[in-house]
Amino acid sequence: VARVLARRAIPFQMTVVGDGDLRAAMEWAASDLVIDRRLWFTGAQPNAAVLGLLSTSDAYLMPSAFEGLSVGMLEAMARGVVPLVSDIRSGVPDVIVPGENGLVAPVGDVAAFADRLEWLWKHPAERVRLATAAVAAVDAGYRADRMVDRYVDLFRRVVADPIARPTG
């Protein structure tokens, strides 16, 4: 994605957080972007450092082929970072409404991810709108205090109207 943005002359700075078997190969393949200070590889980071990075970010990329409900995505959204995620069946549709509180791209479609980042760059007011809606989505459905309240309400309803169980 960074390579496509660079070819299009889109100004960007991208940070890749995390570690894995492909990290060294990715760093080598993108060494010119690292030298140009457009791409950083941080390796694994403590949560506080990741939250600090998110506070200075405009977009959160999650190009996964499979992911459950991503805590990283929710943390980014809660900090007003526009999620740009793969169009996968698990987790994403529970939270992201494309064009309302985030953006999606087909799994593995590098050009589509770059297209959406370019669109965010060209439409700063839309980026702000999406970021604001992302915060509201997390606030409405994924804050710990609200989730606890919903569980307590569920338990109260179950106790008030228990389901009759068959005997034997």
Side-chain angles (χ1 to χ4, degrees), residues 92-163:
V92 168
D94 296 331
V95 182
I96 305 297
V97 178
E100 286 188 29
N101 64 1
L103 301 172
V104 297
V107 173
D109 191 338
V110 173
F113 273 88
D115 290 346
R116 284 150 183 81
L117 286 173
E118 182 176 356
W119 183 85
L120 286 172
W121 174 65
K122 289 180 176 178
H123 299 91
E126 285 296 301
R127 182 182 47 75
V128 170
R129 181 187 63 77
L130 288 166
T132 301
V135 171
V138 171
D139 194 46
Y142 295 94
R143 284 185 35 165
D145 57 341
R146 294 214 170 107
M147 292 176 74
V148 168
D149 289 345
R150 287 198 311 265
Y151 276 118
V152 168
D153 183 55
L154 172 65
F155 295 147
R156 282 187 180 134
R157 286 183 289 147
V158 168
V159 169
D161 189 19
I163 299 171

